[in-house]
Amino acid sequence: MQTSHCHTPLNNYRMGLLSVFCVCLFFSSAFAVDRGNFKTCDQSSFCKRQRALKPGQSPYRALLETLELSDSRLTLQLINDNNKVHLLLELYRLQGNMTRVKINELKPLKPRFEVPDVLIAEPPTEPLSVLSKDDNGIVLSLGAESQRLIVSARPFRLDIMEGPEVLLSLNSRGLLAFEHLHLRKDTQAQPDGAEVKESVDGDQQQDEVEKDEDGEGDKEQDGLWEETFKSHTDTKPNGPTSISLDFSLPGVEHVYGIPEHADDLKLKTTDGGDPYRLYNLDVFQYELYNPMALYGSIPVMLAHNTQRTMGIFWLNAAETWVDISSNTAGKTVFGKMLDFVQGSSEKPQTDIRWISESGIIDVFIMLGPKPSDVFSQYASLTGTQSFPPLASLGYHQCRWNYNDQEDVKSVDQGFDQHDIPYDFIWLDIEHADGKRYFTWDPHKFSQPKEMLQGLMDKRRKMVAIVDPHIKVDSGYKIHSEITSKDFYVKNKDGRNYEGWCWPGNSGYPDFTIPEMRAWWASMFAYDQYEGSMENLFTWNDMNEPSVFNGPEVTMHKDALHGKWEHREIHNIYGLYVQMATAEGQIQRSGGVERPFVLTRAFFAGSQRFGAVWTGDNAAEWGHLKISIPMCLSLGLVGVSFCGADIGGFFKNPSTELLVRWYQTGAYQPFFRAHAHLDTTRREPWLFGPENTALIREVIRQRYALLPYWYQLFFQAYRTGMPVMRPLWVDYPKDTVTFTIDDEFLIGSDLLVHPITEEGSRGVTAYLPGAGEVWYDVHTFQKHNGAQNLYIPVTLSSIPVFQRGGSIIPRKDRVRRSSACMENDPYTLYVALSPKKFARGKLYIDDGHSFNYDTKKEFIHRSLTFANNALTSSNLCPDCNFLTSSWIEKVLILGASKPSKVVLKMDGKETPVDFEFDSSMSVLTLRKPGMNAGDDWTLLLQ
Amino acid sequence: MTCLHLLLTLVFAVSLGTPVEIQRPRGVPLTKKPFYEENKPFTCLDGSRTIPFDRVNDDYCDCKDGSDEPGTAACPNGSFHCTNAGYRPMFIPSSRINDGICDCCDTTDEYNSGAKCENTCKELGLKERDVLQKMAEITKEGFLLKQQLIEEAKKGREEKQGKVTDMQENKKQLEEKVEALRTVKETAEQPEKEAKERHLKAWEEQKAAIRLEKDKAKMAEAFLELDDNADGFVSVSELQSHAELDPDADGTLTETEVQGLMGGAAQVDTSTFESVWTNIKDKYHSEVSREEADMSSAQKARDDFEDSEKALREMDDQIRNIEKELSFDFGPDAEFTYLYSQCYELTTSEYIYRLCPFNRVSQKPKYGGSETNLGTWGSWSGPENNKYLVMKYEHGTGCWQGPNRSTTVKLTCGKETVVTSTSEPSRCEYLMEFTTPAVCQEPANMDLLPHGHEEL
């Protein structure tokens, strides 16, 4: 779901007010975002003010005499020569090749907000040392690798260097700007309320004293102490508080990240348009290929070139805009060639500028140098992807709404009748009693436990939605408890904030309060959440938060979370909702079982709490296509468990689009079909036997590959490596890969090029890796790397290739659900490199508990093929888990025919039957039969 | 190491009260037993290859068609046969063998999963027989009713056809009469027409003047008639005695309605009566029946002609209605005829649903609110072998941001004609279950009901 979720009643609601007008509005804007509902930079006063500030000489100067250096922390004061306000700069050298830069007011009028709960811990530091110091600046050593940090005094600027190369500069364009907290002078001097002309503190032209004196009202400077958008007025008791800083990246032409935007993987320059916006919003029928804000925000950008990958993490939860410009962006290929031929000295460079409405500057610079280093650096700050229950990697069947228990039962039976596996069936908002979450509709879902037991008997599970808006109804337990505990967000006047959402008038629990989150978590206990059972999981929607009658369909910025305005915490609200919900699921099992919670809104760190989907997309080919860069962007900044609504949420997909979407979704991490209330039914068997067969086939492919997906999620959990990744992550020196976002890798070993064009008869896939080979997973045909391969396709085709040099374990006995496959044997797909080598991993645990973590109950094995021997060795000797799964078959792709195959195990040798297909060079070892947890070697002789 | 051994199954079946053991590989139906001969090489049933017999059910898939593993989950496309003695035998996909879920009532699919299955075949068999018996009774009675329906429909159809024939005969006469009257009219109109052509404008004016005058005369006359107590005023009560003036035609002319006609006045005199007259003149019946003495002969001829033409039109309508009814596809034996012009209702917690077969389906909120059209009669749209099992009603009221409402009506055999359930599986696509004797099939011989020995 669900903006339309949002929109339908929103319109109904409005209709009550101005019916005809609204209907007209709707029809004129059918299936496109109503841009007028959302702010442009020009309509957001701080963005407009900050953007008006052009690159130039910075008014900030470092006061070197104030330098203080403890073991790992350097502090230094900065002064704005225009207004004499002092800032405090803190520099930290963090473990793992990172630098943290914090800038705050030295003596703010009152504390400025610093975002809690995102970092998993205070990041461990490493010693900093001063290499040299003079009147112009300081040179600091960043430890190893001849890395230095140069602090220039006048104007203030930071440069991070490695050897002679500048890796990154801060304030090199002089766009550091810090609107310091101050009292509203005009209210004292001019009680009639005329605005005092003000400007961003970084403004070079004027100094504040002058401004105060001239006292002219300047329309362009409106919005400092109050701002109105559409009918909503944002009172700003703290006045202007925005911050900004620029970063220059010499030698960089490709930057990625800062989700969520419906845009290409490679970020575009924003000159002449709006900056990319980060402000969690419930956007109805979002448009593709523009920088508008969507449901979630992760203020992390990655920069990549053939030499290095770096990251910038801007830890700020207020409304944020990001400008990107590049000195090469405007150039044609010919222009670039000309530069090359003429030996142009101009080096490519990308310049970034972050602007936030409030808070402080707190930046983490992740210096890589490899992509995997940046991932682990970011993971060390905000944590890794939570390790999901195995079943949640299976197929999810969702719809707004499955009408009643009978409906759920018949859909469940439909899957069995058509022999299609699935693990989760989902219930949207209509399941609850009048949208009172944690309850069930007394007529349609009168026996929830009976329903859940029915699913449990089939070893399947259910997800029911729990949104954070709470119906204001004194007879509703959740509402009355939140009221009595005083846990609601407050409006600017201190009364409970109320807004309009699904249930009508609603309160919004203040998830920033730890006690509130603990209470919320306790509501998931089996004795609190009536009708719940251990196979019921949760979906948090509308947690931007969505407020139908609020500004930009969200909460008023001057609403209050304790002493902090909503303005300060907006982008992290959704994270807290999912955090509290996941905690509730953990607690209900006494800490034993892993949670599964899907969220629509997210922030940096959300990866620790579950899965994310790309919100309310539409049944259009463009939306299928955009699902790839949208999930790739999320994966790059920590959120691996990503998916898009299969089929498209709004509108009815053509059969071809639906089939293609299943084929794409089966190879994306979170695999869920979902549909709007107004669409026709689209369960996989409703489109004729041929299409049912196509969908069944690709869902089965997904299930066969679950061991691989599971192992990749284990790896993501351990290391922060994204599960679904752009090609450049594994081929960082291959410039061709830098802009590819119509195909992707799953782990390092599967390359997928989904068909996302209507009526496609063929696609050209890029197979990376000079000197490498790739095997078509369906035909085992071998193709060389570093080529564009044309692949003719039919409706049954989903081009997938396994990398030569990899071993992928599959469970080819696909059953009704992942749980049913628990004890099934493995088939190993060994795809040999040209050097006849391959390597892979196998991970096994109980699939649902935390015992892998708390008791080390798992099997982790390394599988290596070298010198004609395939060996399984233990990667975790002190781990302890017993499986009844065994190895039923080994396929070796790119093999030659042996005369004999022998299994060596426990000092014994037994012959193994085999077959050899000489046309495709596939060697099949028949039923070697060893337990998947054993040490063994298969020798080809 | 989980190498499963060749598994043979012992099937106990009951035939004529004597237990018989039939040995064959697990999961193989008796009909295929001959292909699985122990200790002889096994040829995949698709003939693709031959393997040693010890590779049958050895938990490794050797045959592309899955035929070597009828009793294990090794082949992706295999199927497992359960005998289900006491109930009905069935095939399940081999992926359901040992998946921890009991699929076969005889528990044979879960021989190595630890799932605790109970043999429920006997119960299911009894239950099924019970259900089948009840169904058979319903079918039997329903089928008898159907015969009556067919008989009635046949009679009704003959009657109607007869009626149409008669009416067509009458129609002919009527047509002749119309033609005759037309001639009379045209002749009578001739002088008038000539005058008209000459003084068309004057004539029109004159006609209008005459009409106005006539109307005035009529009005004056009506006033006098209405003024029962001759006090020079027409009062509410005086007007109320003229029931034909009832504006909403509900049979009673209330005081409020009269007041409405009188523009709120309690009484009117001759001067103010004019406005009341405009309200009532179309409906007003004079109390004294009187001939239009001044009617010209042309006018009379015209009226006669128009009357007869109207009668002809009415007859045409009647014929068309009967022919429309006769043209409906009421099933192979016209057994659905009785549903025509009937309506059946079902009340749920929120709505009253109404099915008027061959006409429309509608929904009305239980507690007030307007009716919504869920579709008008479209077509029979059951499966190819019997399209008369499903009715489709289409083009109902449009949905906001959605399609027009439509309803699928599924017909099942029953003694009574009832709507048994309604649902809305997709937004604005309704599903209705409807029982009627008209779909009851000739009952099968009861002896053919399963008694748990299909195997033999």
Side-chain angles (χ1 to χ4, degrees):
Chain A
M1 287 190 0
Q2 28 215 326
T3 278
S4 105
H5 255 180
C6 179
H7 203 74
T8 313
L10 174 57
N11 268 293
N12 287 344
Y13 162 67
R14 284 183 187 153
M15 269 187 200
L17 304 171
L18 27 108
S19 61
V20 179
F21 175 62
C22 188
V23 170
C24 297
L25 252 187
F26 173 76
F27 284 111
S28 63
S29 67
F31 298 117
V33 68
D34 185 355
R35 287 192 186 216
N37 282 336
F38 303 102
K39 288 184 184 177
T40 60
C41 177
D42 255 8
Q43 291 167 320
S44 189
S45 74
F46 77 91
C47 186
K48 187 180 180 185
R49 282 199 305 279
Q50 287 279 7
R51 232 187 172 199
L53 187 63
K54 299 299 175 199
Q57 175 90 6
S58 176
Y60 286 97
R61 183 159 54 87
L63 302 173
L64 296 180
E65 65 278 13
T66 63
L67 180 134
E68 286 179 38
L69 180 65
S70 70
D71 190 31
S72 58
R73 174 175 184 258
L74 178 148
T75 61
L76 188 63
Q77 288 180 26
L78 308 178
I79 185 168
N80 180 338
D81 278 329
N82 290 338
N83 60 16
K84 310 299 176 209
V85 172
H86 286 244
L87 302 181
L88 181 69
L89 166 76
E90 294 173 75
L91 287 173
Y92 299 87
R93 168 76 185 153
L94 302 184
Q95 283 179 19
N97 204 14
M98 287 181 283
T99 300
R100 182 179 191 176
V101 179
K102 273 175 96 164
I103 302 175
N104 196 351
E105 290 180 53
L106 181 66
K107 288 175 183 160
L109 205 58
K110 56 183 181 176
R112 296 182 66 116
F113 186 70
E114 300 189 32
V115 187
D117 300 309
V118 169
L119 301 178
I120 48 174
E122 199 51 41
T125 54
E126 280 184 353
L128 269 171
S129 57
V130 174
L131 292 176
S132 67
K133 182 181 168 187
D134 59 23
D135 290 349
N136 297 321
I138 313 162
V139 180
L140 297 158
S141 165
L142 287 178
E145 294 170 33
S146 67
Q147 277 181 4
R148 285 157 298 143
L149 175 63
I150 297 164
V151 184
S152 306
R154 184 190 288 265
F156 164 68
R157 161 183 176 133
L158 293 174
D159 292 276
I160 295 177
M161 314 227 2
E162 187 174 282
E165 302 273 318
V166 176
L167 301 180
L168 176 137
S169 310
L170 280 72
N171 199 31
S172 52
R173 291 189 298 150
L175 295 170
L176 168 62
F178 215 101
E179 291 181 329
H180 65 280
L181 291 164
H182 55 281
L183 294 172
R184 186 174 187 174
K185 292 170 185 106
D186 62 318
T187 48
Q188 291 136 10
Q190 290 167 293
D192 64 355
E195 289 288 338
V196 168
K197 182 172 176 178
E198 292 238 10
S199 68
V200 167
D201 291 348
D203 194 318
Q204 298 98 354
Q205 291 120 37
Q206 274 181 309
D207 98 82
E208 204 171 353
V209 180
E210 223 175 60
K211 278 180 282 170
D212 282 345
E213 281 168 356
D214 72 29
E216 275 175 6
D218 182 345
K219 282 293 165 208
E220 285 187 3
Q221 291 298 327
D222 272 355
L224 293 172
W225 296 90
E226 188 177 286
E227 177 169 357
T228 299
F229 177 67
K230 303 195 94 174
S231 61
H232 300 282
T233 297
D234 176 17
T235 65
K236 298 179 170 183
N238 296 322
T241 57
S242 74
I243 54 169
S244 159
L245 181 60
D246 67 277
F247 301 78
S248 292
L249 297 154
V252 169
E253 287 182 278
H254 295 86
V255 288
Y256 308 94
I258 55 168
E260 180 175 36
H261 300 99
D263 208 345
D264 293 326
L265 174 66
K266 177 191 183 305
L267 297 171
K268 294 165 184 154
T269 58
T270 56
D271 308 318
D274 254 15
Y276 283 97
R277 188 182 189 203
L278 294 173
Y279 191 58
N280 296 356
L281 290 175
D282 180 358
V283 182
F284 178 60
Q285 293 178 341
Y286 59 77
E287 252 178 57
L288 306 185
Y289 304 107
N290 72 42
M292 286 174 74
L294 287 179
Y295 314 94
S297 301
I298 302 184
V300 177
M301 187 184 285
L302 267 54
H304 177 73
N305 62 25
T306 54
Q307 302 305 308
R308 178 180 288 272
T309 310
M310 292 187 290
I312 299 170
F313 171 28
W314 175 265
L315 178 48
N316 190 300
E319 180 184 345
T320 296
W321 299 78
V322 185
D323 256 323
I324 299 170
S325 55
S326 156
N327 61 350
T328 55
K331 285 192 184 167
T332 58
V333 174
F334 178 75
K336 285 184 187 175
M337 287 219 341
L338 209 64
D339 281 356
F340 180 75
V341 172
Q342 296 170 344
S344 163
S345 61
E346 195 186 13
K347 197 177 174 185
Q349 175 168 315
T350 297
D351 294 310
I352 316 297
R353 180 185 190 192
W354 297 76
I355 303 168
S356 289
E357 184 174 12
S358 201
I360 63 160
I361 293 174
D362 191 359
V363 192
F364 298 81
I365 296 155
M366 302 171 280
L367 291 171
K370 295 198 301 292
S372 58
D373 294 327
V374 175
F375 300 134
S376 67
Q377 284 155 4
Y378 181 63
S380 75
L381 298 172
T382 65
T384 59
Q385 176 67 53
S386 65
F387 188 36
L390 173 59
S392 65
L393 298 177
Y395 173 61
H396 298 260
Q397 182 67 39
C398 186
R399 172 175 183 82
W400 177 25
N401 214 87
Y402 285 119
N403 298 332
D404 49 30
Q405 285 178 219
E406 210 39 56
D407 199 0
V408 168
K409 197 173 177 179
S410 76
V411 171
D412 178 70
Q413 285 169 350
F415 277 93
D416 288 342
Q417 276 157 21
H418 299 92
D419 201 17
I420 299 172
Y422 89 96
D423 270 82
F424 282 82
I425 187 163
W426 292 52
L427 295 180
D428 210 321
I429 52 172
E430 312 296 334
H431 86 276
D433 180 11
K435 279 91 174 177
R436 292 171 188 88
Y437 309 108
F438 298 101
T439 72
W440 304 84
D441 184 296
H443 303 294
K444 295 167 182 165
F445 295 92
S446 60
Q447 303 296 327
K449 283 196 174 177
E450 198 177 281
M451 171 177 65
L452 288 165
Q453 186 61 51
L455 291 169
M456 199 179 283
D457 290 345
K458 296 265 195 80
R459 308 183 76 174
R460 288 173 177 150
K461 297 163 177 64
M462 173 170 265
V463 168
I465 200 163
V466 175
D467 287 352
H469 49 258
I470 302 300
K471 186 178 176 74
V472 173
D473 167 7
S474 56
Y476 174 29
K477 181 183 87 173
I478 299 290
H479 169 72
S480 48
E481 287 207 29
I482 295 174
T483 308
S484 71
K485 292 177 192 298
D486 199 22
F487 280 157
Y488 275 125
V489 175
K490 301 290 183 289
N491 65 23
K492 62 178 168 32
D493 305 321
R495 294 191 309 275
N496 284 346
Y497 178 90
E498 287 180 3
W500 205 262
C501 209
W502 296 128
N505 198 30
S506 305
Y508 291 77
D510 190 349
F511 283 89
T512 66
I513 306 170
E515 294 76 20
M516 151 62 211
R517 295 200 299 273
W519 173 83
W520 178 267
S522 74
M523 288 299 102
F524 289 89
Y526 297 120
D527 59 348
Q528 291 291 331
Y529 189 166
E530 279 175 38
S532 69
M533 285 175 41
E534 61 262 47
N535 63 340
L536 179 68
F537 296 83
T538 310
W539 168 18
N540 292 147
D541 196 359
M542 315 297 280
N543 52 339
E544 293 76 23
S546 178
V547 181
F548 294 162
N549 57 343
E552 302 190 85
V553 203
T554 192
M555 192 171 276
H556 293 73
K557 283 177 172 174
D558 53 11
L560 292 170
H561 302 260
K563 65 173 178 172
W564 298 111
E565 283 189 289
H566 183 69
R567 180 185 336 276
E568 308 282 357
I569 68 98
H570 176 84
N571 282 345
I572 199 179
Y573 185 86
L575 174 145
Y576 278 131
V577 175
Q578 193 191 19
M579 177 196 252
T581 305
E583 185 55 33
Q585 283 191 7
I586 295 170
Q587 281 177 13
R588 70 176 184 179
S589 69
V592 174
E593 297 294 322
R594 284 175 239 169
F596 172 71
V597 182
L598 178 73
T599 182
R600 191 170 71 181
F602 51 82
F603 189 64
S606 283
Q607 70 270 16
R608 308 198 296 269
F609 310 112
V612 158
W613 95 109
T614 60
D616 299 346
N617 60 3
E620 292 168 6
W621 288 91
H623 276 267
L624 167 59
K625 203 177 168 68
I626 206 85
S627 71
I628 302 170
M630 286 181 81
C631 280
L632 286 175
S633 295
L634 274 161
L636 288 175
V637 297
V639 179
S640 268
F641 206 178
C642 168
D645 285 347
I646 287 165
F649 178 63
F650 294 113
K651 307 214 290 182
N652 294 307
S654 67
T655 304
E656 184 191 358
L657 175 57
L658 185 67
V659 169
R660 289 303 190 200
W661 212 317
Y662 269 102
Q663 290 170 341
T664 305
Y667 288 91
Q668 291 176 346
F670 177 56
F671 182 26
R672 182 185 75 150
H674 186 33
H676 188 277
L677 186 68
D678 288 334
T679 61
T680 50
R681 295 291 280 237
R682 54 167 96 138
E683 285 70 44
W685 50 86
L686 295 176
F687 302 88
E690 281 174 23
N691 294 303
T692 304
L694 292 173
I695 296 171
R696 177 194 298 121
E697 168 56 25
V698 76
I699 296 180
R700 290 173 71 108
Q701 287 176 22
R702 168 64 168 228
Y703 274 77
L705 279 168
L706 282 179
Y708 181 61
W709 282 103
Y710 196 47
Q711 177 239 312
L712 288 174
F713 269 91
F714 182 68
Q715 190 190 8
Y717 158 73
R718 283 215 158 167
T719 66
M721 278 303 283
V723 170
M724 173 180 169
R725 6 176 136 139
L727 270 59
W728 63 259
V729 168
D730 282 83
Y731 299 88
K733 292 190 187 304
D734 183 350
T735 54
V736 177
T737 64
F738 292 1
T739 54
I740 291 178
D741 62 6
D742 57 353
E743 66 180 46
F744 54 89
L745 291 167
I746 302 169
S748 299
D749 300 338
L750 282 184
L751 182 144
V752 187
H753 190 108
I755 312 297
T756 57
E757 303 284 341
E758 185 169 17
S760 183
R761 287 158 179 265
V763 290
T764 302
Y766 179 70
L767 302 180
E772 294 194 26
V773 292
W774 293 87
Y775 297 86
D776 183 317
V777 299
H778 310 297
T779 63
F780 303 136
Q781 196 182 344
K782 187 162 78 178
H783 301 281
N784 287 327
Q787 67 153 325
N788 284 303
L789 179 69
Y790 180 78
I791 308 155
V793 299
T794 64
L795 195 53
S796 67
S797 312
I798 165 75
V800 181
F801 301 88
Q802 184 177 343
R803 190 175 60 80
S806 68
I807 300 176
I808 293 182
R810 290 198 215 168
K811 282 190 173 178
D812 281 338
R813 303 183 180 190
V814 174
R815 302 192 189 245
R816 258 189 279 234
S817 70
S818 64
C820 293
M821 295 162 64
E822 184 186 354
N823 297 317
D824 280 340
Y826 291 91
T827 296
L828 304 179
Y829 286 76
V830 181
L832 297 183
S833 72
K835 290 181 180 161
K836 306 290 175 200
F837 176 84
R839 180 185 300 177
K841 281 177 185 167
L842 176 62
Y843 174 84
I844 308 173
D845 66 14
D846 67 15
H848 57 85
S849 78
F850 280 112
N851 292 349
Y852 72 92
D853 186 38
T854 53
K855 299 180 182 166
K856 288 206 137 194
E857 288 183 359
F858 64 89
I859 291 167
H860 200 201
R861 304 201 67 85
S862 165
L863 304 167
T864 311
F865 186 97
N867 304 319
N868 277 325
L870 175 63
T871 304
S872 170
S873 54
N874 202 345
L875 286 170
C876 185
D878 58 338
C879 285
N880 168 30
F881 185 73
L882 292 178
T883 179
S884 44
S885 295
W886 47 288
I887 312 295
E888 68 170 325
K889 196 194 276 192
V890 179
L891 262 75
I892 304 174
L893 315 181
S896 26
K897 188 178 182 179
S899 56
K900 191 174 155 195
V901 178
V902 171
L903 170 66
K904 275 176 72 173
M905 214 175 129
D906 301 329
K908 280 179 274 183
E909 294 198 2
T910 38
V912 174
D913 279 334
F914 64 87
E915 277 175 37
F916 184 72
D917 173 356
S918 53
S919 67
M920 284 291 164
S921 304
V922 178
L923 176 67
T924 305
L925 309 188
R926 185 188 190 279
K927 208 181 176 191
M930 51 284 190
N931 184 284
D934 283 343
D935 287 327
W936 48 262
T937 297
L938 281 163
L939 291 169
L940 312 189
Q941 292 166 340
Chain B
M1 183 125 157
T2 320
C3 280
L4 297 172
H5 301 288
L6 174 67
L7 294 157
L8 289 172
T9 181
L10 291 178
V11 176
F12 294 88
V14 181
S15 173
L16 307 168
T18 319
V20 179
E21 297 174 10
I22 301 115
Q23 214 170 28
R24 59 200 142 116
R26 194 194 295 274
V28 174
L30 261 188
T31 50
K32 294 208 175 129
K33 180 182 179 287
F35 301 109
Y36 296 83
E37 270 190 87
E38 209 177 334
N39 301 325
K40 283 192 184 164
F42 172 75
T43 301
C44 306
L45 297 187
D46 63 1
S48 57
R49 65 190 292 188
T50 298
I51 54 173
F53 193 75
D54 64 6
R55 291 194 172 180
V56 171
N57 277 346
D58 72 338
D59 206 17
Y60 185 90
C61 191
D62 292 286
C63 296
K64 282 204 174 107
D65 66 352
S67 58
D68 63 316
E69 298 293 318
T72 79
C75 292
N77 51 350
S79 64
F80 175 86
H81 181 265
C82 25
T83 309
N84 291 345
Y87 187 51
R88 57 173 69 189
M90 66 175 185
F91 286 95
I92 58 169
S94 58
S95 66
R96 294 181 194 172
I97 299 168
N98 290 328
D99 67 348
I101 300 164
C102 310
D103 291 286
C104 298
C105 65
D106 66 3
T107 77
T108 51
D109 60 318
E110 296 299 314
Y111 56 84
N112 194 27
S113 70
K116 293 194 182 88
C117 301
E118 276 174 37
N119 190 322
T120 55
C121 291
K122 204 175 158 190
E123 269 170 56
L124 286 171
L126 287 173
K127 212 165 140 190
E128 190 188 41
R129 269 194 292 284
D130 204 37
V131 169
L132 285 175
Q133 203 141 10
K134 278 195 184 125
M135 285 237 315
E137 276 161 32
I138 291 170
T139 310
K140 202 171 153 189
E141 287 179 49
F143 189 70
L144 286 177
L145 289 171
K146 181 180 175 179
Q147 300 313 307
Q148 289 175 22
L149 292 174
I150 292 171
E151 203 47 47
E152 279 165 25
K154 208 174 147 193
K155 266 190 220 153
R157 194 178 176 80
E158 279 163 8
E159 263 170 39
K160 277 177 188 134
Q161 271 162 345
K163 202 170 165 193
V164 169
T165 320
D166 291 351
M167 284 167 85
Q168 252 145 2
E169 194 51 43
N170 292 342
K171 184 182 156 190
K172 247 182 221 160
Q173 295 170 10
L174 208 54
E175 276 167 348
E176 282 161 18
K177 190 177 164 195
V178 167
E179 280 316 305
L181 287 170
R182 189 196 301 278
T183 320
V184 172
K185 180 189 91 159
E186 280 167 4
T187 320
E189 276 176 343
Q190 201 52 37
E192 212 179 70
K193 207 174 163 190
E194 284 161 11
K196 239 197 279 181
E197 277 160 10
R198 259 178 277 130
H199 304 290
L200 190 62
K201 203 176 165 215
W203 168 248
E204 284 297 332
E205 277 166 13
Q206 197 187 338
K207 226 167 62 170
I210 291 168
R211 215 182 293 130
L212 195 67
E213 208 154 306
K214 250 194 223 168
D215 191 48
K216 270 195 180 151
K218 250 193 212 168
M219 180 173 85
E221 208 173 311
F223 186 87
L224 291 175
E225 263 176 41
L226 283 165
D227 186 10
D228 288 341
N229 56 3
D231 62 350
F233 293 100
V234 171
S235 68
V236 171
S237 58
E238 283 166 350
L239 199 56
Q240 208 175 345
S241 62
H242 281 256
E244 78 274 9
L245 300 178
D246 182 16
D248 61 2
D250 65 351
T252 48
L253 181 58
T254 65
E255 206 174 309
T256 335
E257 284 168 344
V258 174
Q259 275 166 355
L261 292 172
M262 293 184 63
Q267 53 180 30
V268 289
D269 60 12
T270 42
S271 62
T272 43
F273 184 66
E274 198 175 333
S275 64
V276 181
W277 177 243
T278 11
N279 287 339
I280 64 172
K281 65 181 174 191
D282 290 343
K283 287 184 180 168
Y284 180 75
H285 288 173
S286 170
E287 281 153 46
V288 288
S289 86
R290 60 204 166 90
E291 282 298 309
E292 287 272 342
D294 56 346
M295 187 191 274
S296 72
S297 62
Q299 187 59 36
K300 185 169 185 319
R302 245 194 313 273
D303 287 355
D304 288 348
F305 166 72
E306 274 163 17
D307 285 349
S308 65
E309 205 183 34
K310 193 178 162 200
L312 178 62
R313 268 204 308 275
E314 278 167 4
M315 180 159 290
D316 258 343
D317 283 350
Q318 281 180 26
I319 294 173
R320 210 173 303 124
N321 279 339
I322 298 174
E323 278 175 343
K324 185 185 164 197
E325 185 179 343
L326 289 172
S327 74
F328 270 103
D329 180 358
F330 288 130
D333 299 310
E335 61 269 42
F336 297 101
T337 311
Y338 81 106
L339 299 174
Y340 189 76
S341 73
Q342 301 293 311
C343 291
Y344 303 89
E345 287 189 348
L346 178 74
T347 305
T348 67
S349 54
E350 282 175 273
Y351 296 103
I352 299 163
Y353 290 88
R354 195 173 157 91
L355 166 65
C356 305
F358 305 104
N359 184 8
R360 67 199 290 264
V361 183
S362 60
Q363 175 201 53
K364 198 175 172 168
K366 211 167 162 183
Y367 307 106
S370 59
E371 195 181 80
T372 307
N373 181 357
L374 304 186
T376 50
W377 167 247
S379 60
W380 291 107
S381 53
E384 260 173 52
N385 59 357
N386 186 0
K387 65 172 180 169
Y388 300 103
L389 290 175
V390 178
M391 290 171 154
K392 188 89 192 158
Y393 293 81
E394 298 157 321
H395 310 299
T397 314
C399 271
W400 185 74
Q401 208 192 353
N404 283 54
R405 287 172 175 79
S406 64
T407 304
T408 301
V409 180
K410 283 191 179 165
L411 279 62
T412 49
C413 165
K415 284 187 278 186
E416 280 154 29
T417 306
V418 204
V419 178
T420 56
S421 77
T422 62
S423 58
E424 189 184 354
S426 259
R427 185 80 144 178
C428 304
E429 289 178 11
Y430 296 81
L431 179 67
M432 205 169 244
E433 309 253 3
F434 185 58
T435 63
T436 162
V439 293
C440 294
Q441 297 294 323
E442 186 157 17
N445 192 333
M446 284 295 285
D447 294 347
L448 294 177
L449 284 177
H451 286 110
H453 59 106
E454 295 76 10
E455 276 293 309
L456 298 170

